[in-house]
Amino acid sequence: MARLSRRAFLRIAVLAGLGVSVAALERVSRPVGLGNYLRWTTRGELERIAGRPAVIALGECPTYADDLAGRLASLWHQAEMPDVTGKRVLVKPNLIDVIEGYPTTTAPEVVGAVLDVLTGLGASEIVVGEGSGFRREAEPVVESCGLAAELARRHVSFVDLNYDDPRPVPVEDGWFRHATNIWLPRHVREADLVVSVPKLKVHHWAGVSLSLKNLFGILPGCRYGWPKNMLHVNGIAMSVLGLYRLAQPVVSVMDGVVGMEGDGPLFGTPVPHGLLAVSADPVAVDTLCARLMGFDPNKIQYLWLAAWAGVGQAKRLDVRGGDVARFSRTYQPPPS
Amino acid sequence: MNANAFAFLQQAMTADGGWGYSLDQASSVEATAAVALAAQDDLADADLERSAVAWLRAAQHADGGWGMNKDDIESIWTTGWGVLALTSTGSAEDAVARGAVWLARMPALRVTDDELQEEFRRKLAVDPNLSGWPWLPDEASWIEPTALILLALAAAPVQGIAARSAEAARFIADRRCQGGGWNFGNPVMLGGNLPPRAHPTAWALLALNRVAPDLIRSEDLAALRTEAGRDGGSSALALALLALRTLGEDDPALASRLAGRQAAGGGWDGNPYHTALALLAGRGRLL
């Protein structure tokens, strides 16, 4: 029997190693596809190593009776938010449903204050919009949560994104695996800027419901139904990031004055947190807020995925507004 | 009231002969089908129904289904509306038959894994073996599309759906909220009772009344009255009244609130879909 030379052995070993690596790569990338996997991994590494730090401005606000507009204007400036002069802006609060006794929705006072800030900064057209996941018609939610009065006072329109003349938009970046297009409402398609104004909440499926999860409300129910099961079938984490990519540019103003812990997003318990957070990078602000709620962002699937795939900045955070520790709480996680 | 409402619908017709959810929107299958149903009224100009039927026929896909509008190439839950509307007009038997076959074959997600089934029982308090119809093919079943499609298939001449329809009726009964009525899908979320909502409750009652009236409980009607009153939106009030009147009941307070929401121009919320639902509520029957 011929003896294997050292050189031949090394060749075989290298080829075997390559084969194992390719097989492993194929296996690990199978759920998202090899192309997406390589692109996201590379982008994520670049973001971690050389990405621009994301600025987040934190502010204390013990009650909704405070000067919210004044505080938010200051935070908006500190967070180096984009210029809105002459822009069409869609303000997207979380109005998933109104359930008596539970702080399910973004406080109307915070939405009103955001409108004041945007008006003061010269936005040319501002509308507030939501496509509730648990109501066929948004108007009763807008009325009963108190937002209608805030809008009427400022002569700002509300648009029900569930019925807002949806049109198909090509999927970007591979986040919707079984669709080439996603139908989006007119005011999302035509906005120069989307301001996500979520309520700081825990969420029984997503872990937390913050700026990015709030974007589930831009999917039109008249196409996808209620409560937008397609996003769950596609996977919550993938859908969260997919909608973010489609709706860009998206910035965030977080209502953490009163948060929600426990059985969120509907039946949780109020947490007097006293927090407002503003950032042009929703991934950054969600990552920080998850930490401030006492959760490890690496264990929140959509935040881990965003960090790994370089969708936004999750690692290099420039936090302004004082000591982060004073905003730290320990939220009760959702029941499992 | 009705003559004004039909005048509004006449004005709200889009250039392509259909109706959208508001005056400045493209025509949609749901709104146009609702108008087709509402237009079967002596007070309505015959053009309304003719136009709606023509639009729906033109919007039907080759596979028999309908999308959200004419630009939507995927067949989805709105096929229930298409079949229901064309069945009621009695003028498009071929289109109805193709639509009904598509609905009968529309696949719904089934949970077969033992562990997942147990999780569904524990977290959502549902029987995971029961299935109805989804909003989009291959998704989970929900109350409204299940009820809508049950009604469409009960009205359309299609064979071989008895077993699926019977299971769908059991699916609806299984998803009943504690105290009566229905939320959009499951009645419980991780141990917390979800409240009934007016829209799915009205649809569930309309469907059960047609295919399995024995499954209706008086508490469902009470939940519908309460929730429609609490919601107060035009579509909630209209659907609730439509369901109650179909079941031989009424609610003057809800009727008065709905009437109070009609604008001087004859429409509700400037929305042809809401207006058609209000007209159907006034008539007291869907078909």
Side-chain angles (χ1 to χ4, degrees):
Chain A
M1 198 166 83
R3 284 191 63 187
L4 199 61
S5 70
R6 188 163 178 268
R7 179 170 293 181
F9 174 78
L10 284 173
R11 264 194 207 131
I12 291 169
V14 167
L15 286 173
L18 278 173
V20 168
S21 301
V22 168
L25 187 61
E26 195 281 327
R27 188 174 174 186
V28 77
S29 66
R30 199 177 297 155
V32 296
L34 186 61
N36 286 336
Y37 184 86
L38 293 175
R39 189 175 69 254
W40 295 345
T41 308
T42 308
R43 191 175 57 202
E45 283 303 319
L46 286 173
E47 200 67 26
R48 269 188 292 279
I49 295 163
R52 197 174 157 206
V55 181
I56 306 159
L58 299 181
E60 192 167 0
C61 183
T63 76
Y64 292 113
D66 283 0
D67 174 21
L68 282 164
R71 287 171 195 267
L72 282 180
S74 166
L75 293 175
W76 189 277
H77 178 71
Q78 284 180 64
E80 300 176 8
M81 297 291 269
D83 182 10
V84 296
T85 312
K87 300 275 175 64
R88 283 173 299 188
V89 183
L90 170 66
V91 175
K92 163 64 180 74
N94 183 339
L95 304 177
I96 182 171
D97 198 353
V98 167
I99 298 179
E100 217 169 294
Y102 297 96
T104 53
T105 62
T106 305
E109 296 89 343
V110 174
V111 180
V114 170
L115 298 176
D116 291 343
V117 171
L118 292 169
T119 304
L121 291 171
S124 64
E125 187 185 321
I126 309 169
V127 294
V128 176
E130 164 69 308
S132 170
F134 284 92
R135 288 292 185 107
R136 251 295 197 153
E137 210 180 321
E139 188 197 311
V141 179
V142 176
E143 285 284 344
S144 54
C145 78
L147 181 57
E150 295 283 342
L151 300 184
R153 198 174 305 137
R154 294 170 176 84
H155 308 289
V156 171
S157 306
F158 178 85
V159 58
D160 190 336
L161 298 179
N162 278 326
Y163 302 96
D164 183 31
D165 212 7
R167 295 277 153 201
V169 174
V171 164
E172 280 197 19
D173 207 25
W175 295 104
F176 292 97
R177 285 165 292 178
H178 306 296
T180 50
N181 292 299
I182 295 295
W183 290 68
L184 289 181
R186 180 168 74 83
H187 282 84
V188 174
R189 295 192 315 271
E190 295 180 356
D192 296 317
L193 183 70
V194 176
V195 184
S196 179
V197 191
K199 182 81 165 172
L200 190 81
K201 295 197 283 188
V202 298
H203 190 285
H204 49 227
W205 301 130
V208 290
S209 178
L210 304 168
S211 319
L212 292 170
K213 176 67 178 61
N214 183 36
L215 296 177
F216 269 30
I218 67 170
L219 202 74
C222 71
R223 172 62 172 70
Y224 294 100
W226 284 258
K228 308 175 189 187
N229 191 218
M230 182 276 272
L231 299 172
H232 292 253
V233 173
N234 184 60
I236 291 176
M238 298 277 287
S239 298
V240 162
L241 300 183
L243 287 175
Y244 173 50
R245 290 296 301 235
L246 285 171
Q248 281 189 4
V250 181
V251 300
S252 172
V253 176
M254 184 80 63
D255 170 13
V257 177
V258 176
M260 178 190 271
E261 66 178 358
D263 193 6
L266 297 177
F267 301 110
T269 310
V271 178
H273 197 144
L275 170 71
L276 290 171
V278 176
S279 178
D281 187 333
V283 172
V285 78
D286 283 13
T287 301
L288 178 64
C289 284
R291 274 197 209 121
L292 296 178
M293 296 164 84
F295 301 125
D296 177 356
N298 290 317
K299 292 182 178 164
I300 308 286
Q301 200 187 11
Y302 85 84
L303 291 175
W304 172 83
L305 192 59
W308 170 69
V311 179
Q313 181 55 267
K315 299 294 178 190
R316 298 156 68 88
L317 308 183
D318 175 0
V319 184
R320 299 175 184 176
D323 183 16
V324 173
R326 74 192 158 114
F327 294 111
S328 290
R329 305 284 186 277
T330 305
Y331 276 55
Q332 189 70 32
S336 55
Chain B
M1 173 174 109
N2 284 9
N4 268 351
F6 285 120
F8 167 81
L9 289 178
Q10 195 78 49
Q11 289 167 4
M13 188 194 298
T14 62
D16 69 359
W19 284 264
Y21 293 108
S22 68
L23 298 181
D24 58 351
Q25 286 197 19
S27 305
S28 77
V29 170
E30 185 179 38
T32 303
V35 170
L37 289 166
Q40 290 161 49
D41 187 298
D42 291 342
L43 284 173
D45 191 307
D47 275 354
L48 282 184
E49 185 183 325
R50 262 200 301 272
S51 185
V53 168
W55 188 92
L56 287 169
R57 293 204 67 159
Q60 190 174 24
H61 296 156
D63 66 5
W66 278 267
M68 192 210 82
N69 61 25
K70 274 186 175 170
D71 295 334
D72 190 356
I73 57 171
E74 189 187 1
S75 296
I76 59 173
W77 65 279
T78 49
T79 301
W81 274 107
V83 169
L84 203 56
L86 292 185
T87 303
S88 71
T89 64
S91 59
E93 286 175 15
D94 58 324
V96 167
R98 289 191 297 120
V101 168
W102 188 88
L103 287 175
R105 293 176 181 166
M106 184 186 191
L109 190 71
R110 274 188 186 274
V111 178
T112 51
D113 177 78
D114 285 348
E115 259 182 52
L116 210 51
Q117 281 210 350
E118 184 47 40
E119 196 177 338
F120 270 54
R121 284 193 188 91
R122 187 168 53 84
K123 292 184 174 175
L124 310 178
V126 298
D127 179 348
N129 291 306
L130 293 173
S131 178
W133 273 272
W135 297 97
L136 307 188
D138 293 310
E139 293 187 354
S141 304
W142 299 87
I143 295 299
E144 185 172 328
T146 297
L148 170 70
I149 292 167
L150 267 176
L151 284 163
L153 291 177
V158 62
Q159 304 294 314
I161 55 149
R164 187 168 183 186
S165 293
E167 182 184 335
R170 293 202 303 280
F171 164 87
I172 291 176
D174 179 66
R175 267 58 174 176
R176 176 182 277 113
C177 293
Q178 190 183 53
W182 285 266
N183 197 284
F184 286 87
N186 36 296
V188 164
M189 182 61 75
L190 301 173
N193 290 318
L194 289 170
R197 290 294 179 228
H199 295 81
T201 300
W203 279 112
L205 286 171
L206 286 166
L208 289 181
N209 181 60
R210 182 75 172 77
V211 301
D214 292 350
L215 294 176
I216 294 174
R217 297 180 187 164
S218 59
E219 64 197 41
D220 299 328
L221 275 65
L224 180 59
R225 291 177 201 276
T226 305
E227 285 304 317
R230 193 173 290 164
D231 185 301
S234 300
S235 62
L237 293 168
L239 274 169
L241 280 167
L242 174 61
L244 288 169
R245 287 169 175 168
T246 301
L247 270 70
E249 303 267 335
D250 206 348
D251 193 311
L254 295 182
S256 168
R257 286 179 66 184
L258 180 62
R261 292 181 65 89
Q262 187 176 21
W268 274 262
D269 310 327
N271 182 328
Y273 173 61
H274 289 182
T275 303
L277 291 180
L279 283 163
L280 290 167
R283 188 167 77 195
R285 58 184 172 80
L286 191 59
L287 295 170

